[in-house]
Amino acid sequence: MGTIGILIAIALIVILAMKGFSIVFIAPLASIVVIVTNGMNFFPSLIGNETSFMTGLTGFLINFFGVFLLGAILAQYIEKSGAAQAIAEKVLSITGTEKPFSVLIAIYAISAILTFGGISLFVVLFVVVPLAKPLFKQLNIGWNLVVIPVFMGIGTFTMTMLPGTPSIQNVVPTTYLGTTLTAAPLMGIAATIVAIVVGIFYLRYALNKSLANGETFATYAQEDKGKAILKEKIPSFFISILPILILIIIIFTGSAMKVANIVLIGLAAAIIVSAAFFHKYIPSHKAALSLGANGSITPIFFTATTVAFGVVITMAPGFKVISNFILGIPGNPLISLTVASAALGAITGSSSGGLGIAMEAFAQSYLAMGVNPDAMHRISAIASSVFTGLPHAGAILSLFALTGLNHKNAFKYSFYSMTLPNIIGLIVALVIGIMFY
């Protein structure tokens, strides 16, 4: 009955998320289903001071609030100053805007650069979509294709594979495993190369198929509710990318020296550099700081409530059956860790949320087996993102709302653009992990 209750709770999360309910409401509701069906003490399991839904939520906030806060503030400086616009315009000047494939590659590169620079994926969506729409209209290509380069840029190698990326998916394992952001560089770099190649091939295939079917911009696009306003006075490309370069240099240097909390140091330094160099381009430092601080609350609470639900699951007697099954998968332990991380990422519709649950439930067991922590870090991170391109994923729902697209006309592109590069990159990383780690 306990295991069935967990499965019912998981189904409840997926169904209600697809219907548009907030995960902040769904997660405690699903946790109650787990608590009741597993015969657990109700209030101690839900709001108790020891291990409970509430301690899971607050624990995640304590560990990662600084990353979300500083990342959101940095994003505001890069967005409000026009630095993101400058980066986008520079990339487009290199690729050109006359050929559809070149434009798609440019959008891919812009999304990846901004994400690797520590910018929240939700902020990247708001930056990239307004830049992409007039180009798609000018070239008269299917508007639903826009999800492919965007999701390849924000949801594949910059999120989990590339060593040093400041994404939350790369930060979470460090807390549980004592690793650095550059853990298992060979696995990460190999997976990155494969993911980029696979993504570009799929991008070309999807574009050619759309053109062959006679799809145009008007086939899927809605009328603009308001034209995006581009800034006239923006910083140069070098100044625009300087905070991102500072962040990356600090992360790589600090990781090599095993400096604690290096991502926080890097983000703080990037913000200081942004405040200094973007000063004359920022209408108000007060607004950038305040909007960034406020903007960090929603994403961290979304992820924290998902992790809190995972804590309740791991406490439940019914989870023992699931845990024993995963730990009992034959072969190298990295294989069963892959299954656990991928499954939990799919269930929650959040790679960071699923990864937090996987680390909470299995990290110590695998470390006790003698599994290399660096290999665990990279494999679990990549695996957590493999199936997060599902209908209830927050990033998909957000992009559809922003573009006017829907599951019927764009979901297949969203799913394949993340799943194909991630799963093939994961296989490559897994083979390297088994052979060399």
Side-chain angles (χ1 to χ4, degrees):
M1 182 62 189
T3 304
I4 293 173
I6 291 174
L7 297 177
I8 292 172
I10 291 169
L12 185 67
I13 278 191
V14 173
I15 293 169
L16 291 182
M18 289 180 64
K19 289 185 177 293
F21 287 89
S22 169
I23 191 67
V24 178
F25 164 73
I26 302 170
L29 181 64
S31 297
I32 290 172
V33 172
V34 173
I35 291 167
V36 171
T37 55
N38 279 265
M40 301 160 67
N41 292 329
F42 188 81
F43 285 111
S45 299
L46 191 63
I47 58 173
N49 293 327
E50 296 184 5
T51 307
S52 67
F53 177 89
M54 194 56 67
T55 60
L57 186 149
T58 55
F60 187 89
L61 293 176
I62 290 169
N63 287 326
F64 300 109
F65 178 69
V67 176
F68 279 84
L69 174 65
L70 296 179
I73 291 173
L74 176 61
Q76 281 294 321
Y77 270 104
I78 289 180
E79 180 188 5
K80 299 301 183 186
S81 65
Q85 180 184 327
I87 293 169
E89 290 178 358
K90 181 66 174 181
V91 173
L92 286 169
S93 71
I94 295 171
T95 62
T97 58
E98 281 70 45
K99 296 181 180 179
F101 186 65
S102 296
V103 168
L104 293 176
I105 290 295
I107 295 168
Y108 181 16
I110 293 164
S111 302
I113 290 169
L114 293 176
T115 309
F116 190 61
I119 309 304
S120 162
L121 64 88
F122 296 102
V123 173
V124 174
L125 297 183
F126 280 101
V127 170
V128 172
V129 171
L131 290 168
K133 198 161 190 176
L135 295 172
F136 273 66
K137 189 173 184 178
Q138 175 185 323
L139 294 166
N140 200 27
I141 55 177
W143 178 232
N144 60 342
L145 292 170
V146 72
V147 303
I148 302 176
V150 170
F151 279 135
M152 289 195 316
I154 69 175
T156 58
F157 70 97
T158 59
M159 186 167 74
T160 61
M161 302 175 193
L162 204 55
T165 181
S167 70
I168 194 65
Q169 291 83 357
N170 198 34
V171 174
V172 168
T174 63
T175 302
Y176 295 90
L177 304 173
T179 49
T180 68
L181 297 182
T182 56
L186 177 61
M187 294 168 66
I189 292 171
T192 294
I193 294 170
V194 171
I196 291 173
V197 171
V198 170
I200 290 174
F201 269 99
Y202 177 67
L203 188 60
R204 170 71 79 177
Y205 165 80
L207 174 62
N208 289 341
K209 187 174 181 181
S210 178
L211 293 174
N213 290 338
E215 295 174 346
T216 65
F217 180 78
T219 306
Y220 302 107
Q222 296 180 349
E223 288 296 320
D224 288 326
K225 296 180 181 178
K227 189 174 180 180
I229 300 174
L230 298 180
K231 289 173 67 74
E232 293 184 5
K233 187 179 180 182
I234 59 176
S236 68
F237 172 72
F238 176 74
I239 291 177
S240 298
I241 208 166
L242 184 61
I244 295 174
L245 293 175
I246 294 293
L247 172 62
I248 293 170
I249 290 169
I250 289 175
I251 285 176
F252 273 89
T253 304
S255 295
M257 299 171 63
K258 298 190 181 300
V259 177
N261 299 313
I262 191 61
V263 70
L264 296 177
I265 296 171
L267 287 169
I271 290 170
I272 293 170
V273 170
S274 297
F277 284 85
F278 298 160
H279 175 69
K280 62 182 180 180
Y281 305 101
I282 292 284
S284 168
H285 288 278
K286 177 182 176 182
L289 292 168
S290 299
L291 288 171
N294 293 338
S296 69
I297 301 301
T298 297
I300 192 171
F301 260 90
F302 278 7
T303 306
T305 50
T306 303
V307 172
F309 168 65
V311 170
V312 174
I313 286 181
T314 59
M315 291 164 51
F319 183 71
K320 193 68 178 175
V321 176
I322 300 172
S323 177
N324 288 340
F325 170 76
I326 291 173
L327 293 173
I329 293 174
N332 191 287
L334 289 176
I335 296 174
S336 57
L337 179 61
T338 296
V339 173
S341 300
L344 290 165
I347 288 166
T348 60
S350 164
S351 57
S352 55
L355 182 58
I357 296 170
M359 289 290 99
E360 187 75 35
F362 299 109
Q364 292 306 313
S365 297
Y366 283 97
L367 288 174
M369 294 179 194
V371 183
N372 183 286
D374 284 351
M376 285 176 59
H377 175 132
R378 193 57 55 206
I379 284 295
S380 60
I382 299 173
S384 71
S385 67
V386 167
F387 294 119
T388 52
L390 294 178
H392 60 293
I396 286 180
L397 297 174
S398 296
L399 184 57
F400 285 177
L402 191 59
T403 57
L405 298 168
N406 55 51
H407 287 83
K408 183 178 180 180
N409 58 31
F411 173 68
K412 68 175 182 180
Y413 287 149
S414 303
F415 179 77
Y416 288 128
S417 62
M418 286 189 280
T419 302
L420 288 176
N422 281 331
I423 200 166
I424 298 177
L426 172 63
I427 292 170
V428 171
L430 188 58
V431 169
I432 294 174
I434 292 172
M435 292 178 61
F436 299 105
Y437 288 85

